[in-house]
Amino acid sequence: MKVFYLMRHCLFVLLALSALTANAQTGSLTGKVLDETGQPLPGASVQIKSIGKSTITDVGGNYKLTGLNNGQFTVVASFIGYKSVERSVAVKGASTANFDLKPDDQSLNEVVVVGYGTQTRREVTGSIARVSGDKIAALPTPSFEASLQGRAPGVQVTQGSGLAGSGSVIRVRGIGSISAGGDPLYVVDGIPITSDPFISGNRGGMNQNPLATINAEDIESIDILKDAGAAGIYGSRGANGVILITTKRGKSGSPVVNFSTKYGLSTYATKPKFVNGSEWLALRQEAWTNDGHTGLATLPQGITWDQARQTNTNWFDLVTRTGKYNEQNLSLSQGTEKLKTYISVNHDDNQSFLKGNSYEKYGFRTNVDVKPTDYFSASVNLGYSKGTNQRVNAAWDGGIGDAMSTALPIYPVFNADGTYWANGANPARSINYVDWKAVDQRLLAGLTVELKPFKNFSVKGIANIDHLDLTEDQFRPKELTGNARGYANRWLNQQINNNFTGTATYDLNFSDKSKLSFLAGIETQSSELNGYPNGIYGDADGPYSKNQDAMYLQMQQMGSNLYYVNGANRTTFASLFARATYSYANKYTVQALMRRDGSSKFGPNHKYGNFPAVSAGWTLSQENFLKDSKVVNYLKLRGSYGITGNANIPPGEYYAKFGNSGSYNGQPVVTPQNVENPNLQWEQLKSIDAAVEFGFLNNRISGEFAYYNKKTSKVLISGGISPSTGFLAAFQNVGEILNEGLELSLNTINIQSKNFKWTTNFNISKNYNKVLSIGNLSSDGILGATNDTRIIVGKPVGTNYLVRYVGVDPADGLPIWLDKNGYQTKTFSLDNRVAVGQVMPDYVGGLTNTFSFKGFELTSLFTFALGGNIYDGSAKRQLGVVTDWNIRTDISDRWQKPGDIARFPRLTMTPGTYPGLSSEWQYNSTMFLYDASFMRLRELTLAYRFPAAFAKKLGMNNTRVFVTGMNLLTFSKYPGGDPEIARDFENPQDRNMSPNVMYLTTPQQKSVTFGLSTSF
């Protein structure tokens, strides 16, 4: 604190001296910088060219330049995304000049974040999609990454569910991995952060999301690096794309305090429709009669028909509620040429529509930039967040999963004495009794020091840390355990990720037209996981979070079952990288880069890998034959070729590992745990990208059209190996995968007048995915966990593997199938499973329309997916054989008498009624494969920005009120609930192969949010 005090004191003295010097100069220039609607532009630059004097506008768009001689000056006003305005201004004493700026949708001088630096838009030769921070913060999604949906071409975002804090599955230009992680690399202010959803396993039917603690309001922008020309600088970790997150920083000018608050209500976006109690009994009785029985059908869990007839419980309504959401953000931005500061604090509490489920987080961020001299600068980034997830059972683990499966409408909630009914599934009982809380604490901290010893040369050192602490407590009281005491679990994990980067850059200007920029760097990264692998568990009278003494006593009693691992999954990277960019006449740009990575994850024969890339851009609109065109304002050709890699596998797979396992003759023994493979190495992705960027008719129509071809070789697969090794599977580099696609983004200014403006942003992308080879592995040796998907040559990654369903025989109501050869049969057999359906959609995209009228703004975002299939893993018990599960209303289209033409066969309680079917769990067929196409009104926002003069009277600036609806409408033919699914996964291979499998998945939330943002 003393250091900052001295710095501020020195700055005050310097300002005072400057003021004394200025006494000899009596002229001043003040004014406003406004946008096309008359609203102020805070942070706009105003510069007097001849003397190099400049300033930044405040939140009201005001600027002031003092200490000027009287005379004529050329003044330039500029702002990112707007066309600069330059004009001559006469200064005589206190003078005034206002500037009105108009948008420039193809601003070639816009700064874009690239790996380890920035470039202007005109210099970018790779494929980069940018999403601004206001778009990310617009929606109350469970985690910020879900807000990317529909915003960028080639980026498919599938939000996991409506569970508070749940994550999303993001695929950048398809999926090129099988057993290695397929998610992009996330980088926050230069820190490659932990984003592994499997750190805490798959408890409760949900993968814990490490990204949920990041505050969306702190994000300035997100840049998505999609091709090797852009992501290649990240080498062995860039194959799945890179998401660069830039947080907000202090701006020059007077201190500005920004405040925003939101309050919202939510419910489920859509849900499956189930029959009521009397309908369920009728269907049960029909199946009983079809099976040749007489009298009343047997009922599960000892329920009598009299009890059943008197009960009609809507379990879905009982476990859901009207959710509530509130959020507050407060930030301070201030700065001078020598010191800029951004400080923020935030709190938000998302109580989802599931009873008992919430995610509350607190956080703060401090970004400080210091530049005491022209040759030295430093910055400090410090962000801390704490998220508390009040968890509930879901999917296969109960809760809302029970409400969609084994909690029948004929089951009561309470017994006659008021106690909870406990003879069968009762999710209301578990919600009331289970105490389950997960606390994530994250520290993201970084220090950057930059030296510029001489002109155009700089050296930068960056040290970062990402510390993620995860503590999870679950307590089930004696009412649930049935014992004298309850049972408590605590799981502890600490993921520590350290990173150091050193870079040197040099700009060599041969002339005004010719420029060569160099970047060279080194990077080291280490990460490890500390904690108790088996957790702490035992009989207890309450959760360990509320009774630490009881936990310590239990730890003493656990003996050898309790052990702590320091440095588990330890991984290190050591890298060298370089990038050279040559630009000529603002028309031609060529870039070459190389990265050499070394990783502790790979064997001694392939410890290091080289990842080169080249790219080029040609701005045709700067050529003489187009420079003065009234139709073509901007036209650029861009292309790249390069190699990136994927190292996202568990460590320690290449060497032989041993561990304690069982005993022999009463003595502990050591046994091998895997098969050694010294040749294990990273996946290698060779990609080609070609694109045209355009702007026509005064940039009223602009956008980009791109083609890409990505071929992954040396695919990392944990596949079946010879049983003689003693193991079922091991990691190997075998196989090839192709991803090929087209992307289109289109921006149009449909109407633009003084008071009204209508703009449209549209993007769509198509990806073709195909497995070219899996070496000598068998398709049955590569499984998508319990989801019945396979890797089959010639088909996409994770093709559904099902028996083909033809329909119902009208004569007897029995199902008809196709055997492997395509012949009809009435005997079901899993041996007749074939590759069917399509895991990934044909097209994904988004359509945004924005209407502005004076201070009002209406924004709508539709997201969509066309093609592909959903495999409903729960429908085989909701629609198939009548069991102890709920039944969906679409069973109404079933066979009931000879001659009926129906979708579903005759009801039965005996699987063997359908010849060959041994169990309803084996009922894996296309009967439950659905069209996954959908369109969703993802966002609808109505906002009003108060006039600057009115807001100023209230002591505020830039004041905006708004109401936002999320997922208000969903259009889909899928009858099983929410068509946008990302169920819980067992491991990365399951996540890659089974993104289209639904199993009692919690639907997404629909919400309405009211908010206000202002500054003062």
Side-chain angles (χ1 to χ4, degrees):
M1 294 300 294
K2 291 183 177 179
V3 173
F4 285 108
Y5 172 79
L6 291 173
M7 293 179 67
R8 293 174 65 89
H9 183 71
C10 292
L11 287 172
F12 174 78
V13 173
L14 288 172
L15 290 172
L17 291 173
S18 299
L20 290 173
T21 306
N23 285 337
Q25 300 168 319
T26 59
S28 66
L29 184 65
T30 60
K32 285 180 173 289
V33 179
L34 307 175
D35 65 12
E36 75 280 10
T37 66
Q39 295 297 314
L41 282 174
S45 172
V46 181
Q47 180 184 30
I48 299 178
K49 292 184 68 174
S50 58
I51 60 176
K53 199 175 186 70
S54 65
T55 188
I56 301 294
T57 58
D58 61 18
V59 293
N62 303 295
Y63 75 90
K64 186 174 184 178
L65 291 165
T66 58
L68 304 176
N69 294 319
N70 292 333
Q72 201 77 18
F73 295 95
T74 299
V75 184
V76 180
S78 60
F79 188 72
I80 293 175
Y82 286 76
K83 294 179 181 178
S84 299
V85 173
E86 177 179 318
R87 75 169 187 258
S88 180
V89 176
V91 175
K92 187 176 181 180
S95 303
T96 302
N98 296 324
F99 295 86
D100 296 312
L101 303 188
K102 295 182 179 180
D104 181 7
D105 291 330
Q106 290 294 342
S107 177
L108 300 182
N109 293 318
E110 177 189 6
V111 176
V112 177
V113 179
V114 296
Y116 308 99
T118 60
Q119 291 178 337
T120 61
R121 176 64 69 180
R122 71 170 72 246
E123 294 174 329
V124 171
T125 54
S127 181
I128 302 177
R130 163 163 284 198
V131 181
S132 60
D134 61 317
K135 301 292 191 298
I136 300 299
L139 294 175
T141 54
S143 186
F144 78 90
E145 74 277 7
S147 294
L148 291 171
Q149 187 183 88
R151 304 287 188 186
V155 182
Q156 182 189 5
V157 181
T158 305
Q159 184 175 316
S161 70
L163 287 166
S166 63
S168 300
V169 177
I170 296 184
R171 294 293 177 254
V172 178
R173 291 184 166 181
I175 177 67
S177 301
I178 294 177
S179 301
D183 295 282
L185 174 69
Y186 291 85
V187 180
V188 178
D189 291 333
I191 310 175
I193 65 170
T194 300
S195 59
D196 183 5
F198 299 104
I199 294 177
S200 298
N202 182 25
R203 288 187 286 271
M206 171 184 169
N207 299 124
Q208 194 76 354
N209 178 24
L211 300 174
T213 57
I214 295 177
N215 181 30
E217 288 285 351
D218 282 336
I219 297 176
E220 180 72 29
S221 63
I222 291 180
D223 293 277
I224 305 169
L225 314 184
K226 298 188 288 185
D227 71 332
I233 197 68
Y234 288 96
S236 66
R237 292 172 291 177
N240 297 318
V242 182
I243 294 181
L244 300 180
I245 302 163
T246 303
T247 61
K248 295 176 181 177
R249 313 201 71 81
K251 294 181 173 61
S252 296
S254 303
V256 177
V257 176
N258 296 287
F259 172 74
S260 68
T261 182
K262 300 175 184 177
Y263 178 80
L265 302 173
S266 67
T267 184
Y268 42 82
T270 183
K271 69 169 184 175
K273 296 178 181 178
F274 297 101
V275 300
N276 61 30
S278 60
E279 292 168 337
W280 191 92
L281 288 171
L283 293 170
R284 177 89 171 186
Q285 186 62 40
E286 181 181 326
W288 176 263
T289 303
N290 285 346
D291 290 341
H293 300 291
T294 58
L296 293 176
T298 59
L299 298 179
Q301 304 301 332
I303 291 286
T304 68
W305 272 82
D306 286 339
Q307 292 172 324
R309 287 178 176 134
Q310 297 172 17
T311 307
N312 184 26
T313 306
N314 189 325
W315 290 105
F316 203 96
D317 285 352
L318 275 176
V319 300
T320 59
R321 63 186 176 186
T322 298
K324 297 179 181 179
Y325 175 85
N326 71 84
E327 174 188 329
Q328 294 80 36
N329 290 274
L330 183 67
S331 67
L332 169 67
S333 174
Q334 63 176 350
T336 65
E337 293 183 3
K338 298 185 182 297
L339 177 65
K340 295 182 177 68
T341 305
Y342 172 82
I343 302 173
S344 74
V345 293
N346 70 279
H347 165 259
D348 65 73
D349 183 11
N350 177 16
Q351 299 180 31
S352 79
F353 63 82
L354 289 176
K355 287 184 179 179
N357 178 227
S358 65
Y359 190 91
E360 184 177 20
K361 65 183 177 184
Y362 299 84
F364 73 84
R365 171 165 288 277
T366 300
N367 291 343
V368 179
D369 298 296
V370 182
K371 190 178 181 181
T373 68
D374 291 337
Y375 57 84
F376 174 78
S377 62
S379 64
V380 176
N381 306 322
L382 180 63
Y384 169 81
S385 54
K386 179 181 180 180
T388 301
N389 191 349
Q390 198 68 47
R391 298 193 58 181
V392 292
N393 308 94
W396 49 264
D397 197 42
I400 193 171
D402 279 347
M404 294 188 284
S405 59
T406 55
L408 298 178
I410 62 171
Y411 292 168
V413 181
F414 298 102
N415 296 310
D417 60 1
T419 59
Y420 279 105
W421 184 78
N423 290 348
N426 187 339
R429 177 171 174 260
S430 62
I431 287 174
N432 181 69
Y433 283 127
V434 174
D435 188 340
W436 192 354
K437 182 167 62 177
V439 179
D440 298 351
Q441 298 185 76
R442 186 165 213 156
L443 176 67
L444 288 171
L447 171 65
T448 301
V449 177
E450 184 174 11
L451 293 173
K452 295 182 178 180
F454 54 87
K455 186 177 180 181
N456 296 333
F457 179 76
S458 67
V459 179
K460 186 183 294 185
I462 309 169
N464 298 312
I465 183 172
D466 174 17
H467 188 138
L468 182 61
D469 188 290
L470 305 102
T471 303
E472 189 171 348
D473 284 284
Q474 184 190 66
F475 175 70
R476 297 172 62 84
K478 59 185 180 181
E479 288 83 356
L480 291 181
T481 65
N483 299 322
R485 303 179 68 193
Y487 198 82
N489 281 282
R490 166 167 280 202
W491 297 278
L492 294 168
N493 287 293
Q494 291 182 333
Q495 182 75 47
I496 300 175
N497 181 8
N498 298 315
N499 191 85
F500 173 79
T501 306
T503 63
T505 59
Y506 182 62
D507 296 329
L508 184 59
N509 299 317
F510 300 107
S511 66
D512 291 341
K513 293 184 176 181
S514 182
K515 182 179 74 171
L516 182 62
S517 299
F518 289 102
L519 166 73
I522 61 171
E523 185 172 53
T524 62
Q525 183 179 7
S526 64
S527 63
E528 62 181 45
L529 182 67
N530 303 326
Y532 296 89
N534 293 338
I536 303 168
Y537 54 87
D539 294 336
D541 298 315
Y544 291 142
S545 59
K546 297 179 181 178
N547 192 338
Q548 298 283 315
D549 292 338
M551 182 186 71
Y552 295 139
L553 179 62
Q554 181 62 30
M555 292 172 68
Q556 296 174 14
Q557 296 175 354
M558 288 180 66
S560 61
N561 291 324
L562 176 71
Y563 61 96
Y564 182 86
V565 175
N566 186 19
N569 296 337
R570 183 171 292 161
T571 301
T572 59
F573 279 91
S575 309
L576 300 172
F577 55 89
R579 178 172 60 210
T581 306
Y582 176 73
S583 300
Y584 181 77
N586 290 329
K587 292 187 288 187
Y588 315 108
T589 305
V590 179
Q591 179 175 280
L593 60 86
M594 167 67 79
R595 183 171 182 121
R596 179 172 174 82
D597 279 325
S599 173
S600 63
K601 291 185 177 182
F602 299 112
N605 299 339
H606 299 281
K607 186 67 68 179
Y608 297 92
N610 299 317
F611 303 93
V614 294
S615 55
W618 176 21
T619 307
L620 281 79
S621 52
Q622 292 293 311
E623 298 288 358
N624 291 332
F625 58 85
L626 282 178
K627 202 168 188 178
D628 298 323
S629 173
K630 295 182 179 180
V631 176
V632 180
N633 306 108
Y634 176 63
L635 190 63
K636 178 180 178 180
L637 300 180
R638 192 190 72 231
S640 70
Y641 171 79
I643 300 174
T644 51
N646 185 5
N648 194 358
I649 62 170
E653 294 295 336
Y654 76 84
Y655 57 81
K657 293 182 291 187
F658 296 84
N660 295 327
S661 178
S663 62
Y664 177 76
N665 197 24
Q667 299 297 320
V669 296
V670 175
T671 58
Q673 295 180 328
N674 68 325
V675 177
E676 183 179 13
N677 182 3
N679 291 314
L680 197 65
Q681 58 180 298
W682 17 59
E683 293 178 346
Q684 189 177 89
L685 177 70
K686 296 179 180 179
S687 67
I688 298 172
D689 178 81
V692 55
E693 302 172 16
F694 54 85
F696 302 130
L697 303 175
N698 198 27
N699 288 321
R700 295 287 291 265
I701 302 173
S702 62
E704 177 181 316
F705 181 71
Y707 163 81
Y708 62 86
N709 182 295
K710 306 195 310 180
K711 187 176 181 180
T712 308
S713 59
K714 303 175 183 177
V715 177
L716 286 161
I717 302 178
S718 178
I721 57 176
S722 173
S724 62
T725 63
F727 297 92
L728 298 177
F731 272 94
Q732 325 167 46
N733 291 102
V734 292
E736 295 181 340
I737 299 171
L738 172 68
N739 282 279
E740 186 176 26
L742 298 171
E743 298 172 355
L744 173 66
S745 61
L746 193 63
N747 311 303
T748 62
I749 303 175
N750 307 312
I751 298 176
Q752 185 170 15
S753 62
K754 182 179 180 180
N755 293 322
F756 180 73
K757 184 177 182 180
W758 171 26
T759 63
T760 299
N761 306 98
F762 173 71
N763 72 82
I764 187 170
S765 56
K766 175 179 175 57
N767 183 75
Y768 171 74
N769 180 264
K770 182 179 180 181
V771 177
L772 302 178
S773 169
I774 54 174
N776 295 322
L777 293 177
S778 164
S779 295
D780 285 333
I782 311 171
L783 307 179
T786 59
N787 295 318
D788 221 6
T789 53
R790 298 289 190 276
I791 298 296
I792 298 175
V793 174
K795 300 292 183 179
V797 171
T799 299
N800 296 111
Y801 198 58
L802 305 168
V803 179
R804 290 169 291 180
Y805 175 61
V806 175
V808 179
D809 186 339
D812 56 17
L814 294 177
I816 303 172
W817 316 97
L818 293 181
D819 65 17
K820 274 194 171 183
N821 298 316
Y823 295 106
Q824 290 190 5
T825 176
K826 294 178 75 171
T827 301
F828 182 89
S829 173
L830 292 178
D831 292 336
N832 289 326
R833 287 177 295 176
V834 297
V836 291
Q838 188 173 322
V839 171
M840 304 293 283
D842 293 317
Y843 299 92
V844 294
L847 173 66
T848 303
N849 279 286
T850 304
F851 305 89
S852 303
F853 178 71
K854 295 186 177 180
F856 290 94
E857 184 176 87
L858 178 66
T859 301
S860 67
L861 167 63
F862 284 89
T863 59
F864 61 87
L866 303 176
N869 297 100
I870 294 173
Y871 177 63
D872 193 340
S874 46
K876 58 188 176 185
R877 299 205 78 189
Q878 294 170 337
L879 293 172
V881 180
V882 176
T883 63
D884 59 346
W885 272 42
N886 278 299
I887 302 174
R888 296 214 308 247
T889 57
D890 30 325
I891 199 65
S892 60
D893 188 6
R894 69 185 183 280
W895 185 96
Q896 298 182 65
K897 63 182 184 303
D900 282 352
I901 306 298
R903 169 168 171 72
F904 297 105
R906 60 186 292 178
L907 295 182
T908 180
M909 292 173 56
T910 306
T913 299
Y914 306 152
L917 182 62
S918 59
S919 164
E920 65 272 15
W921 291 108
Q922 301 300 316
Y923 204 15
N924 300 329
S925 75
T926 59
M927 183 186 297
F928 312 114
L929 193 67
Y930 297 90
D931 182 1
S933 299
F934 74 91
M935 176 176 284
R936 169 166 269 159
L937 180 54
R938 182 68 166 165
E939 177 191 354
L940 183 65
T941 296
L942 176 63
Y944 178 70
R945 192 180 300 275
F946 289 103
F950 176 77
K952 192 172 183 180
K953 290 180 181 179
L954 301 177
M956 299 183 293
N957 292 294
N958 207 22
T959 301
R960 178 175 178 262
V961 293
F962 59 90
V963 56
T964 296
M966 184 177 74
N967 296 339
L968 295 181
L969 298 173
T970 302
F971 305 94
S972 170
K973 295 180 180 178
Y974 173 55
D978 202 313
E980 184 185 346
I981 55 171
R983 67 160 295 181
D984 56 293
F985 300 104
E986 297 295 331
N987 50 50
Q989 181 166 307
D990 187 21
R991 190 174 171 93
N992 292 334
M993 293 177 58
S994 310
N996 73 326
V997 176
M998 197 285 279
Y999 188 77
L1000 304 175
T1001 306
T1002 305
Q1004 291 196 39
Q1005 72 175 14
K1006 172 169 59 178
S1007 65
V1008 177
T1009 303
F1010 303 87
L1012 175 146
S1013 63
T1014 188
S1015 58
F1016 44 89

